[in-house]
Amino acid sequence: MLFKLLCHCLGLLCVVFVSYWNIEWRGGFAWDASFLQFNWHPVLMVTGLVVLYGNAAILYRIPFTWSQRKQHWKLVHAALLLSSLILSILGLCAVFDFHTGYHIPNLYSLHSWVGICTVVLFTAQWLLGLVGFLSPCSPLGFRKLLKPVHAWMGMAIFILSLASCLSGINEKLNSTAAYSSHPAEALFANFLGVLIVAFGLVVLGILSNQRWSRLEPGEESSRVSILLSAVIS
């Protein structure tokens, strides 16, 4: 599917760009509570909270998965989201350790507020999905009730993830001298932001197209019956 390929390409570019930005202009990476440890924060957040999360969200919209057992893809979906969550938590650890080492206050900016709310909601969403959709003890009625809420929350968390990453890029660039004079770093990071927006729009476009939604047992025959009735009448 063309949109899925576009999604993969944009996601890969996002990871490459955010990594190159922090290697070329920010000095690379370390895990020693220094400025180099902070550089892990944008890389882990963009990779986990945006790219991995976005690809996990559209997993059920891939046509070749429709003819296979949904339980298998539920496990893949949950595993991808868990990987995304782990990378996001590591990204938070990187910035908190850096702030502690340099005696910088935590959670003082709008970016940090939106980011921490996003990760908290993501954690709650993943745990609720684990209990509701993968637990054998979960009743069918509860799953049907939870499904639309789970889908809506998933899209809301993804939008918050995009907002967090974009505000983080802007906050970091505003701390750079001569940002308004358009140095090479600013142009590169701005283009990274455009790539993140493009990736987000493609993911949201795929999710909003109901023709690509996986049909549950019985829904396919119902859809065919409705179409036949419309043709006959």
Side-chain angles (χ1 to χ4, degrees), residues 45-72:
M45 288 307 197
V46 169
T47 304
L49 210 52
V50 173
V51 177
L52 265 180
Y53 188 101
N55 279 282
I58 63 172
L59 187 66
Y60 294 126
R61 304 303 176 106
I62 304 175
F64 80 84
T65 66
W66 299 345
S67 60
Q68 301 177 26
R69 287 191 61 191
K70 189 174 183 179
Q71 186 66 20
H72 295 160

Side-chain angles (χ1 to χ4, degrees), residues 43-100:
V43 173
L44 291 170
M45 288 307 197
V46 169
T47 304
L49 210 52
V50 173
V51 177
L52 265 180
Y53 188 101
N55 279 282
I58 63 172
L59 187 66
Y60 294 126
R61 304 303 176 106
I62 304 175
F64 80 84
T65 66
W66 299 345
S67 60
Q68 301 177 26
R69 287 191 61 191
K70 189 174 183 179
Q71 186 66 20
H72 295 160
W73 292 104
K74 281 184 180 180
L75 294 173
V76 175
H77 179 71
L80 284 175
L81 289 175
L82 180 59
S83 300
S84 170
L85 182 58
I86 290 172
L87 290 181
S88 303
I89 293 172
L90 287 174
L92 291 180
C93 290
V95 71
F96 285 145
D97 282 353
F98 164 71
H99 282 182
T100 300

Side-chain angles (χ1 to χ4, degrees), residues 60 70 125 133 141-154 213-216 219:
Y60 294 126
K70 189 174 183 179
Q125 166 88 337
F133 298 112
F142 176 68
R143 295 186 184 194
K144 288 183 177 180
L145 184 66
L146 180 61
K147 184 179 177 181
V149 178
H150 186 75
W152 181 84
M153 278 296 296
S213 60
R214 180 187 176 108
L215 296 176
E216 299 296 335
E219 289 183 351

Side-chain angles (χ1 to χ4, degrees), residues 10-231:
L10 287 172
L12 180 60
L13 283 174
C14 287
V15 175
V16 171
F17 267 62
V18 72
S19 300
Y20 185 80
W21 174 31
N22 286 279
I23 292 171
E24 179 68 18
W25 285 283
R26 297 288 165 174
F29 306 99
W31 200 274
D32 54 4
S34 68
F35 284 96
L36 298 184
Q37 178 169 333
F38 177 87
N39 293 341
W40 280 111
H41 177 67
V43 173
L44 291 170
M45 288 307 197
V46 169
T47 304
L49 210 52
V50 173
V51 177
L52 265 180
Y53 188 101
N55 279 282
I58 63 172
L59 187 66
Y60 294 126
R61 304 303 176 106
I62 304 175
F64 80 84
T65 66
W66 299 345
S67 60
Q68 301 177 26
R69 287 191 61 191
K70 189 174 183 179
Q71 186 66 20
H72 295 160
W73 292 104
K74 281 184 180 180
L75 294 173
V76 175
H77 179 71
L80 284 175
L81 289 175
L82 180 59
S83 300
S84 170
L85 182 58
I86 290 172
L87 290 181
S88 303
I89 293 172
L90 287 174
L92 291 180
C93 290
V95 71
F96 285 145
D97 282 353
F98 164 71
H99 282 182
T100 300
Y102 283 84
H103 307 290
I104 300 173
N106 289 312
L107 303 176
Y108 63 88
S109 66
L110 177 62
H111 161 67
S112 61
W113 284 23
V114 174
I116 201 70
C117 288
T118 303
V119 175
V120 169
L121 287 174
F122 183 12
T123 304
Q125 166 88 337
W126 190 86
L127 292 173
L128 189 59
L130 180 67
V131 173
F133 298 112
L134 289 178
S135 173
C137 302
S138 176
L140 183 59
F142 176 68
R143 295 186 184 194
K144 288 183 177 180
L145 184 66
L146 180 61
K147 184 179 177 181
V149 178
H150 186 75
W152 181 84
M153 278 296 296
M155 290 185 67
I157 292 168
F158 182 66
I159 293 171
L160 288 172
S161 300
L162 297 174
S164 299
C165 288
L166 293 174
S167 62
I169 293 171
N170 187 64
E171 182 178 300
K172 193 63 179 175
L173 289 177
N174 277 323
S175 67
T176 301
Y179 176 34
S180 59
S181 64
H182 302 292
E185 178 188 2
L187 294 176
F188 189 89
N190 284 346
F191 195 71
L192 166 63
V194 172
L195 285 174
I196 291 173
V197 170
F199 176 81
L201 290 175
V202 172
V203 170
L204 293 173
I206 294 173
L207 292 175
S208 63
N209 193 330
Q210 294 304 313
R211 291 180 301 170
W212 294 335
S213 60
R214 180 187 176 108
L215 296 176
E216 299 296 335
E219 289 183 351
E220 186 171 0
S221 58
S222 299
R223 185 178 293 183
V224 172
S225 299
I226 293 172
L227 291 173
L228 289 175
S229 299
V231 170

